Amino acid sequence: MNETRSAPTVAGPSGTTPSAAESSGRFWSPRRVPAALVAVLLLACAGLLLYDIAAVRAHHPAMRWRRELARNLAERPLDDTWVLAGAALAVALGLWLIALAVTPGLRGLLPMRRPHPDVRAALRRDAARLVLRDRAMDVAGVRAARVRVRRRKADVRAVSHFRDPDDVRADLDTVLTDAIGDLALARPPRLSVHVTRPGRKG
C-alpha cells in the first residue's frame, strides 16, 4: 500500500489565474564561500604588497618575490609558456567569477506562484520528485517509477506489469498533469512519460 504525500497548493483570488508576473522568480544564492575566498585572497595579496612598498619607502630592500616577479615580467616574452599559462588561469578565474555574479544559482529550488506580493515561496526538486513518484505509484498497473524533475521538464519512467502500457501511459499523463498543477509552480515543467514492460528473467 502506497502512502500518498499531499502536494502543496497555492490558490490565487477567486476567478483569477496566476500570471508570470505573480511568480516568485529565481532565488539567488549568496555564494558566501566563493566571495569569502576571493576577499581573503585579495586581502592577503594587498596586505603583502602594501607591506613591501612600506618597507621600500623605509629604505629596506624589496622582497625577493617582487624582485623576481619584476625581472621575469621584464625578460620573458609574451609567447612564453608560463606567461600564457598565467594569462589562461587569470581568464578562467575571471570568467568563473562573472558566471557566479550573473547567474542566480540554487537550481534545487523551483519558484512557486505568489498568492500575495509580500510572499515568496519555492519547492525543492526532491520534494516535487517524491510527490510525482507517489502519484505515479498510485496508478493501477505501475510496478515501479523513476522521476527526474528539472527546471523545464519532468521525466517519468514507469514499469507496467499487468496492464497495457498505452493505458498506463494515458492514466499517468492525466494523474501527473494534475499533480504538477497542484504543485503551484511558477513555470510548470513539461511532462514526459515513458512506460515499459519488465524485462524477462533468464
Side-chain angles (χ1 to χ4, degrees), residues 137-158:
M137 292 298 296
D138 285 340
V139 174
V142 174
R143 177 178 179 179
R146 185 177 60 182
V147 180
R148 184 178 181 184
V149 178
R150 307 176 189 175
R151 284 183 56 201
R152 302 180 185 276
K153 184 178 179 181
D155 188 17
V156 180
R157 298 183 179 273

Side-chain angles (χ1 to χ4, degrees), residues 48-63:
L48 187 61
L49 183 60
L50 182 61
Y51 173 81
D52 192 42
I53 293 175
V56 172
R57 293 289 184 177
H59 306 289
H60 293 285
M63 290 184 178

Side-chain angles (χ1 to χ4, degrees), residues 4-5 17 30 44 47 52 55 57 83 85 92 95 106 114-115 119-120 126 137 139 146 155-157 169 180:
T4 303
R5 294 179 176 87
T17 302
D52 192 42
R57 293 289 184 177
V83 174
L95 292 177
L106 296 180
R114 303 179 71 169
V119 176
R120 295 187 68 203
D126 290 343
M137 292 298 296
V139 174
R146 185 177 60 182
D155 188 17
V156 180
R157 298 183 179 273
R169 185 181 298 108
I180 291 176

